[in-house]
Amino acid sequence: MVMIHNVVDSAELAARRGNLHPTDLSCISYLRGRGEPVSPKEIISALRLSSGSGTALFDRLERAGYVHRIPNPSDRRSILIVLDQEAASSPLSMLRGLQERYVSGLEGYTERELDVIAEYLERVAAMAVDARRPDHGAELTAKRLE
């Protein structure tokens, strides 16, 4: 588990070195990966934020010039968030550097070993999602009370 914390810490450190909140870098990464304008609701859901935290995030990123709010062409009552690739070149460069270091750490493994690593990481990610459920641990608490 220390390894996973170190990965998270390295992403947070990269964000802070770029004078960004870690969530800002996560949002920029998410938008880069999507490659298209995204609704605020989708971003908030993907990053597991509250509505208020999402609004604060979009305000920060828009003030920095990294994103723009644009009208949603399919629903005039809503907006979409679009990444400004040029303005966000510095954070995007940080993300590429992190990604390159992670990829270089996988050099030398066989395809089978990489499959095992990927399976493990998928299981850990699923456990992390499960741990965020409001009822997580309820079954353990119920057994202790019996």
Side-chain angles (χ1 to χ4, degrees):
M1 293 319 273
V2 172
M3 294 178 295
I4 293 169
H5 288 290
N6 288 341
V7 169
V8 171
D9 288 348
S10 68
E12 288 181 3
L13 181 60
R16 298 215 187 278
R17 284 184 178 155
N19 295 316
L20 293 169
H21 187 282
T23 307
D24 298 356
L25 194 59
S26 294
C27 183
I28 290 169
S29 176
Y30 178 76
L31 288 167
R32 179 193 64 172
R34 289 290 302 266
E36 63 185 5
V38 182
S39 76
K41 186 176 181 178
E42 288 177 78
I43 297 168
I44 287 168
S45 175
L47 300 181
R48 295 181 292 281
L49 301 173
S50 69
S51 177
S53 295
T55 299
L57 167 68
F58 303 137
D59 289 346
R60 279 194 312 270
L61 292 176
E62 190 169 46
R63 274 194 308 274
Y66 298 144
V67 302
H68 303 287
R69 291 172 166 110
I70 61 170
N72 184 339
S74 62
D75 180 358
R76 65 186 178 114
R77 297 168 297 160
S78 66
I79 62 158
L80 298 173
I81 305 295
V82 61
L83 180 65
D84 184 325
Q85 297 273 343
E86 188 175 325
S89 63
S90 179
L92 289 170
S93 177
M94 278 191 294
L95 287 167
R96 277 190 296 279
L98 279 173
Q99 186 177 21
E100 287 169 7
R101 287 194 297 277
Y102 295 153
V103 168
S104 72
L106 295 173
E107 291 174 0
Y109 288 101
T110 67
E111 283 299 315
R112 176 67 190 127
E113 290 169 329
L114 291 172
D115 288 343
V116 170
I117 292 168
E119 182 182 340
Y120 168 74
L121 292 173
E122 287 170 4
R123 286 182 184 180
V124 169
M127 286 186 274
V129 168
D130 188 53
R132 288 187 188 97
R133 284 192 356 250
D135 64 339
H136 178 73
E139 58 277 355
L140 295 175
T141 302
K143 284 184 181 182
R144 277 189 240 133
L145 294 175
E146 291 178 348

